[in-house]
Amino acid sequence: MTKQVDVTPRISTARSDGSGPFRIPAPQVKFTMGSGPVGIHERVSLALARAPLYHQDPDFQATFRDTTEKLRRVFCTQHDAFIMQGEAVLGLEAAAANLVEPGDKCLNLVSGVYGAGYRRYFERYGGQVVELAVPYDEAIDPAEVEKVLKREGDVKLIAVVHSETPSGTVNPVREIAALARGYGALTIVDAVSSLGGMPVEVDDWGLDVTVAGPHKCLGAVPGSALVTVSDRAWEKMLKKPQPLRRGYLSMLDWKEGWLGEGRFPFTAFVANIVGLHEALIARLEEGLENSFARHDLAARMCRAGVRALGLELWPAREAIMGSCVTAIKVPAGMNEDEIKLTMNKRYGVVISGGLKELHGKLLRIGHMGHMAQPMYVVVALGALERTLHDLGYPLKFGAGVGAALAAMDADG
Ligand SMILES: *Cc1c(COP(=O)(O)O)cnc(C)c1O
């Protein structure tokens, strides 16, 4: 249950002439550093504000085409990429809707909330689900995947989450995809939060359907599912007894309509696409490797700060921690909602808590996209320190912020 929280802007007694308390309103511009959407760069905001073009306008179509070309570069693929309209989960559900044939054996890999959630898509479209699950603070072990593939013999599809955002962990997708190829299974990879912030090499790793979101490490706004499809996956979609066509979930409509004939299946989300286009231009100007290094630095700083405050990280091991979010255990005796709301309403910094079964247990600081900046991490940690202090947690001011700043040096 959500606790009632006093979130009146902080009353400071620190007027320099000693004439009594005054109120500081919360900052107008919030720092959005949760699990996504996250704060965006001004150039993306400005692109979103441009008057939208009609989707049949050749100028818009050129922008759309260039957006998918840039997406292919970010996904590191020569195969097809397209943009479905709806949140990222539309692309995830569509992968199952297009690929699963009734009776197909589907291996669902579960190391967190999103992994657990994929089961219902496999089941909805007639898959026979086999599950390999680990605790939500762990990652999938490829050796265990191989055991299941060997035991089952005829697994057709494997679903895996790359960056399990609710847990702050990462799964070894590259190794799992190599096994899938060896055993003749296709992969459905949820790279919603990782694309742009951590390496996702669709062709090199041999991924079949990969889905990403614009509103996490890519630094755009929510509302699209960014999808790649391998040739093997198109073949499976086409040879189903009843290939999925003429529907919002159809990937073949995108292949045959837009990629084939340059005809949109529906009215395109023009404003969203222009925003995503700008975010991709920015990311490619920066360089993917530089973006990965920036996300890695932000994550390292955040972890150092959190540890220095005496807080505990949620993932079981350093080796499985991702660069997208830092997941922190709520200190004993404290309330997740109260911490989040105080940070938000008093100090204007928005972080996330635990999702679904993790609610009440976690705080999550997202350092994704434009928000993966060293000094933004310092702001988030500063607000966290002040908030924890306000709520009675013992700490020495600057402990977390100082450790984060020190971690900016490679040897820090
Ligand atoms: C955010 C997220 C999603 C859901 O994306 P939406 O656009 O909100 O549908 C799915 N999977 C992972 C790993 C995510 O981080």
Side-chain angles (χ1 to χ4, degrees):
M1 218 182 68
T2 305
K3 191 174 156 184
Q4 281 300 317
V5 179
D6 170 19
V7 288
T8 25
R10 187 87 190 139
I11 295 169
S12 170
T13 52
R15 220 189 265 270
S16 62
D17 63 1
S19 64
F22 71 107
R23 281 173 183 273
I24 310 169
Q28 284 228 318
V29 176
K30 287 188 180 176
F31 258 73
T32 307
M33 293 186 71
S35 60
V38 288
I40 56 176
H41 194 287
E42 190 183 25
R43 65 189 277 187
V44 178
S45 306
L46 292 173
L48 284 164
R50 284 208 293 270
L53 295 171
Y54 175 47
H55 65 294
Q56 305 294 23
D57 185 319
D59 289 344
F60 174 75
Q61 298 204 341
T63 300
F64 192 94
R65 204 164 277 118
D66 194 51
T67 306
T68 45
E69 278 315 303
K70 288 186 164 53
L71 260 187
R72 290 168 76 211
R73 284 171 61 194
V74 175
F75 272 119
C76 304
T77 186
Q78 301 293 324
H79 291 100
D80 288 326
F82 53 99
I83 304 166
M84 296 181 83
Q85 325 198 117
E87 54 174 324
V89 296
L90 172 74
L92 293 169
E93 177 166 359
N98 286 270
L99 283 168
V100 177
E101 281 177 55
D104 273 354
K105 204 175 270 180
C106 301
L107 173 56
N108 193 38
L109 302 177
V110 180
S111 62
V113 173
Y114 282 110
Y118 208 83
R119 180 188 189 105
R120 66 175 181 266
Y121 299 137
F122 275 151
E123 283 175 345
R124 182 167 305 154
Y125 298 101
Q128 183 198 327
V129 179
V130 179
E131 205 151 77
L132 174 63
V134 295
Y136 286 10
D137 61 352
E138 262 298 342
I140 299 288
D141 176 357
E144 295 300 317
V145 176
E146 177 149 37
K147 277 188 208 158
V148 177
L149 290 172
K150 210 175 256 169
R151 184 188 74 212
E152 298 293 333
D154 56 349
V155 170
K156 298 287 198 306
L157 295 165
I158 303 178
V160 60
V161 178
H162 186 213
S163 156
E164 187 59 81
T165 329
S167 303
T169 54
V170 184
N171 280 314
V173 164
R174 176 185 205 149
E175 289 76 8
I176 292 165
L179 287 168
R181 293 203 96 96
Y183 284 83
L186 300 184
T187 44
I188 298 170
V189 179
D190 174 344
V192 172
S193 62
S194 52
L195 188 73
M198 299 177 63
V200 177
E201 298 184 25
V202 168
D203 287 0
D204 203 49
W205 298 0
L207 312 183
D208 292 298
V209 173
T210 314
V211 179
H215 55 310
K216 306 221 175 164
C217 288
L218 289 177
V221 293
S224 316
L226 318 175
V227 182
T228 69
V229 179
S230 72
D231 295 343
R232 298 195 308 166
W234 285 129
E235 265 169 49
K236 181 158 171 46
M237 290 181 201
L238 280 165
K239 78 169 202 351
K240 275 206 341 176
Q242 288 183 309
L244 184 62
R245 285 199 177 87
R246 302 196 194 293
Y248 214 66
L249 286 167
S250 172
M251 292 188 169
L252 290 171
D253 286 359
W254 279 95
K255 177 159 184 66
E256 292 161 2
W258 172 253
L259 296 171
E261 299 168 13
R263 173 176 51 75
F264 287 121
F266 313 99
T267 307
F269 287 16
V270 288
N272 265 41
I273 296 297
V274 174
L276 174 61
H277 187 232
E278 190 65 30
L280 290 169
I281 293 171
R283 193 49 44 89
L284 290 168
E285 276 173 12
E286 176 184 18
L288 286 179
E289 294 298 327
N290 291 335
S291 175
F292 302 154
R294 178 166 59 79
H295 283 78
D296 173 66
L297 172 62
R300 280 191 287 114
M301 290 176 66
C302 197
R303 293 199 287 266
V306 163
R307 285 188 171 118
L309 287 170
L311 302 171
E312 244 187 285
L313 296 168
W314 165 256
R317 295 172 286 129
E318 180 86 25
I320 60 170
M321 295 179 187
S323 306
C324 301
V325 302
T326 298
I328 309 157
K329 293 184 193 170
V330 173
M334 299 192 81
N335 179 286
E336 174 198 303
D337 293 316
E338 191 171 23
I339 296 170
K340 271 185 333 197
L341 271 171
T342 306
M343 278 181 77
N344 182 334
K345 300 285 189 179
R346 220 173 249 175
Y347 302 115
V349 174
V350 182
I351 66 168
S352 295
L355 190 64
K356 299 226 168 131
E357 45 268 66
L358 298 175
H359 182 236
K361 297 186 182 164
L362 298 185
L363 299 169
R364 289 179 300 148
I365 299 178
H367 21 70
M368 296 189 277
H370 177 57
M371 303 313 279
Q373 296 284 348
M375 286 308 131
Y376 291 179
V377 171
V378 170
V379 170
L381 286 168
L384 178 64
E385 284 192 22
R386 182 68 221 192
T387 296
L388 291 174
H389 167 84
D390 291 354
L391 300 176
Y393 178 88
L395 56 82
K396 189 170 172 301
F397 279 136
V401 166
L405 291 172
M408 283 182 78
D409 299 320
D411 57 356

